[in-house]
């Protein structure tokens, strides 16, 4: 495992239980991708869920009935609706893996499939997309190719009643 990513996992593990994570690049089946050694890559379930114990949205399938609306809002550049949906889904952070190995040329189809019709087609496109989210750059966690951005908007925290 990339030592920088290991530091990201440790940082995510220490986040409050409230607040989910939206991961980019977004995939079709809801998998995460991370470059490995000697040309390998991890393609599988959320490492944040299994290694850090946090809830996150890594792709379309993981968003359930909200997935289609989310990608349509992004494609139509309706960022007001995107941000409202993120608040309703309790998304407090955006995680961005800017490694070109896991997106641009090495994975032209699976697991990004149809998502490229809605989401950015390149890592540069994702960098531009991130400018439309109210993220707090002053508190971003940057470890190599990995960046975790806290959102500056309100979100709905967990509410517990008796």
């Amino acid at each position: 495992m990339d030592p920088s990513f290991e530091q990201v996992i440790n940082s995510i593990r220490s986040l409050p239980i409230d607040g989910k994570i939206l991961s980019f690049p977004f995939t079709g089946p809801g998998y995460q991708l991370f470059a490995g050694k000697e040309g390998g890559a991890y393609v599988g379930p959320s490492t944040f869920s299994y290694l850090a114990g946090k809830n996150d949205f890594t792709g379309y399938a993981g968003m359930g009935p909200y997935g289609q609306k989310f990608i349509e809002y992004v494609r139509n550049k309706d960022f007001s609706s995107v941000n409202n949906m993120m608040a309703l889904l309790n998304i407090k952070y955006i995680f961005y893996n800017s490694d070109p190995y896991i997106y641009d040329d090495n994975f032209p189809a699976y697991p990004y499939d149809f998502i490229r019709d809605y989401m950015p087609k390149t890592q540069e496109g994702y960098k531009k997309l991130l400018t439309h989210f109210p993220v707090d750059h002053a508190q971003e966690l940057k470890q190599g190719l990995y960046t975790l951005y806290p959102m500056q908007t309100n979100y709905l925290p967990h509410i517990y009643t008796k």
Side-chain angles (χ1 to χ4, degrees), residues 11 15-16 92-94 134-143 146-153:
S11 296
L15 294 174
K92 175 75 174 151
Y93 306 94
I94 294 177
V135 296
D136 187 351
H137 290 283
Q139 293 187 355
E140 72 184 42
L141 164 71
K142 186 149 181 71
Q143 294 290 335
Y146 317 113
T147 308
L148 183 69
Y149 299 98
M151 299 289 289
Q152 290 181 328
T153 58

Side-chain angles (χ1 to χ4, degrees), residues 148-161:
L148 183 69
Y149 299 98
M151 299 289 289
Q152 290 181 328
T153 58
N154 293 327
Y155 71 103
L156 295 176
H158 294 130
I159 298 171
Y160 300 96
T161 63

Side-chain angles (χ1 to χ4, degrees), residues 44-66:
S46 166
T47 56
F48 300 153
S49 291
Y50 290 98
L51 299 178
K54 301 299 179 193
N55 293 318
D56 66 333
F57 298 102
T58 55
Y60 176 83
M63 292 192 94
Y66 305 101

Side-chain angles (χ1 to χ4, degrees), residues 25-26 74-75 96 100 102-109 112-129:
F26 210 61
V74 171
R75 180 177 60 187
Y96 175 50
I102 60 109
Y103 194 67
D104 291 338
D105 295 327
N106 294 314
F107 294 89
Y112 301 110
D113 317 301
F114 67 95
I115 291 300
R116 285 186 198 253
D117 294 337
Y118 296 86
M119 302 298 284
K121 296 181 184 344
T122 65
Q123 287 286 32
E124 283 304 312
Y126 268 101
K127 288 177 186 172
K128 289 177 186 167
L129 175 65

